[in-house]
Amino acid sequence: MKLLRLNGKGDVEVCEEAWPIIGRGEVLIKVRASSLDHHDVEGIVQLLDGETSPTIGVGFSGIVQQVGELCVRSDIVDGCEVVGFLGLLDACGSLAGNVVVPETNLVLKPKDVSFIAAAAVVPGAIYTYYSMQRHLNIRAGDTVLIMDGASGIGHVAIQLASRWGARVATTAATMTDLLYLQSSAAKHCEIVDLSDTVTSLPYFVEEFTGGLGFDYIMDTIAYKGTARGGGNDNSDGIAHLLAVINALSCGGSWVSSSDSLLLSRKHQRTMFAKSASVNYTNIVSIVSSGKHTNTILHAVADALKLMEEGALNVSIGSEITLEKAAHILNKDTPNTCTGSTVVVYDTNEGQ
């Protein structure tokens, strides 16, 4: 079967390997779709520091092929459709034709939710629930700024934060992002256009919050270049950092996925003056710890239920092959699409 593996140099490779061996308490899944997110690789690189990793990827959907010994769940049987997640310590990652998964990492896929949509929602559900419920404890009436709302994670976060009663705003880094958000998210949030310059953000913050600043900021942007490619010089870097810090309220909280915020002394003094805080969310470490398995299961199951009810939707920007996924993750091919990127497997192949 084909799979993606991260080598010791930090490059993603397409490999051909034998099917994984199922162990006790594990389930063999034929993968139908896998979520693709820059956090999958960056999070692993940060944790491994040059060591070779197993296959990569977190979220997937597929069909149960075999249930291993000592599995106790009666709802997981051969042929059932499931959604799951994998961490760094698991034998497999989701970017593979077949995976073995602990039964504790699976939820049943609703019949009315497609394999592609189910896989796409996993990273957004994990990131949003962990960030907003654990770090931020968002309540009705809070003001929330979600950076890069046109990303797959951002689009899910906008809808969930709005559902939880927050007043939500999001940023658009390009004109393409702006048009996408206006058509898909305008009923859930206000949109600030940063396609020309980040200097427009302070005026937006003043108007939206009455000069108080945002209670919470959720940031999924990669600071060494935008996660989805394209954009402009102001979508990351020092100008972006200062704009985010200035947008925080007194006592506000900021959740970031970047491992290199590069906060200067001036930045730190501004944060201190506001009694503001910054927290970090690394999806790979959250999933890999084992400590948060029940929280993640709840997040994914809740998101799938909302999708089944029509209360949450994902926008699929691109359906790609494993080979193209490797090019994107290696940044040989920029991922310029809005919405979620999903790897889809040919069901006619043996994989």
Side-chain angles (χ1 to χ4, degrees):
M1 69 170 188
K2 290 182 179 179
L3 54 83
L4 295 189
R5 186 180 292 281
L6 186 68
N7 64 28
K9 298 179 181 179
D11 296 323
V12 176
E13 300 176 339
V14 180
C15 303
E16 191 81 32
E17 297 183 9
W19 280 36
I21 299 174
I22 188 170
R24 293 181 175 181
E26 293 182 332
V27 180
L28 176 64
I29 309 292
K30 184 172 184 178
V31 179
R32 293 290 300 273
S34 303
S35 59
L36 184 72
D37 190 82
H38 72 283
H39 300 91
D40 293 346
V41 171
E42 292 177 3
I44 289 175
V45 171
Q46 292 157 13
L47 292 172
L48 289 180
D49 194 23
E51 299 177 20
T52 301
S53 93
T55 54
I56 58 178
V58 172
F60 68 90
S61 62
I63 301 173
V64 173
Q65 300 295 295
Q66 182 183 351
V67 179
E69 297 179 357
L70 302 184
C71 288
V72 298
R73 291 180 55 178
S74 60
D75 58 336
I76 302 296
V77 297
D78 290 0
C80 71
E81 299 175 350
V82 295
V83 182
F85 53 90
L86 289 157
L88 189 60
L89 301 180
D90 294 309
C92 301
S94 68
L95 292 169
N98 299 275
V99 296
V100 290
V101 190
E103 65 169 349
T104 53
N105 291 22
L106 295 172
V107 297
L108 295 178
K109 181 184 77 66
K111 291 293 184 183
D112 294 336
V113 178
S114 71
F115 284 105
I116 293 174
V121 81
V122 174
I126 296 173
Y127 195 99
T128 303
Y129 273 82
Y130 189 87
S131 298
M132 292 192 179
Q133 298 293 343
R134 184 177 178 82
H135 280 320
L136 305 181
N137 192 25
I138 285 179
R139 296 167 295 182
D142 288 339
T143 53
V144 179
L145 176 63
I146 296 170
M147 307 297 291
D148 195 23
S151 65
I153 290 178
H155 187 249
V156 171
I158 288 169
Q159 296 173 79
L160 290 177
S162 176
R163 181 177 179 81
W164 294 332
R167 293 182 58 230
V168 184
T170 191
T171 62
T174 68
M175 185 56 64
T176 300
D177 290 356
L178 179 63
L179 295 174
Y180 166 79
L181 288 168
Q182 288 174 338
S183 65
S184 66
K187 68 179 181 180
H188 300 290
C189 66
E190 295 288 334
I191 305 165
V192 54
D193 179 12
L194 302 185
S195 59
D196 292 326
T197 172
V198 293
T199 57
S200 58
L201 185 57
Y203 301 104
F204 178 86
V205 175
E206 178 74 24
E207 180 180 349
F208 189 88
T209 69
L212 297 176
F214 282 92
D215 297 316
Y216 305 111
I217 296 179
M218 178 175 155
D219 189 355
T220 67
I221 293 174
Y223 285 83
K224 297 175 183 176
T226 52
R228 293 175 294 105
N232 54 64
D233 292 339
N234 288 323
S235 60
D236 57 3
I238 300 302
H240 174 86
L241 288 171
L242 190 57
V244 171
I245 293 171
N246 288 337
L248 277 170
S249 67
C250 181
S253 296
W254 170 19
V255 173
S256 178
S257 63
S258 174
D259 69 329
S260 54
L261 290 180
L262 302 176
L263 296 180
S264 68
R265 183 173 178 81
K266 180 180 179 180
H267 294 148
Q268 294 177 49
R269 291 178 66 180
T270 303
M271 293 285 286
F272 175 78
K274 292 187 171 189
S275 294
S277 61
V278 59
N279 300 283
Y280 299 91
T281 297
N282 181 338
I283 290 179
V284 175
S285 64
I286 294 167
V287 174
S288 300
S289 70
K291 180 180 179 181
H292 307 292
T293 299
N294 288 337
T295 300
I296 296 170
L297 276 175
H298 168 76
V300 174
D302 190 44
L304 289 169
K305 186 174 186 297
L306 291 174
M307 292 174 70
E308 184 181 29
E309 296 170 349
L312 175 67
N313 69 81
V314 293
S315 177
I316 309 300
S318 182
E319 300 174 20
I320 62 174
T321 63
L322 270 178
E323 288 78 8
K324 186 170 182 180
H327 287 301
I328 290 173
L329 293 173
N330 287 326
K331 299 180 181 177
D332 298 329
T333 303
N335 187 20
T336 57
C337 74
T338 54
S340 299
T341 301
V342 181
V343 177
V344 180
Y345 302 85
D346 187 348
T347 56
N348 296 319
E349 292 183 2
Q351 298 184 8

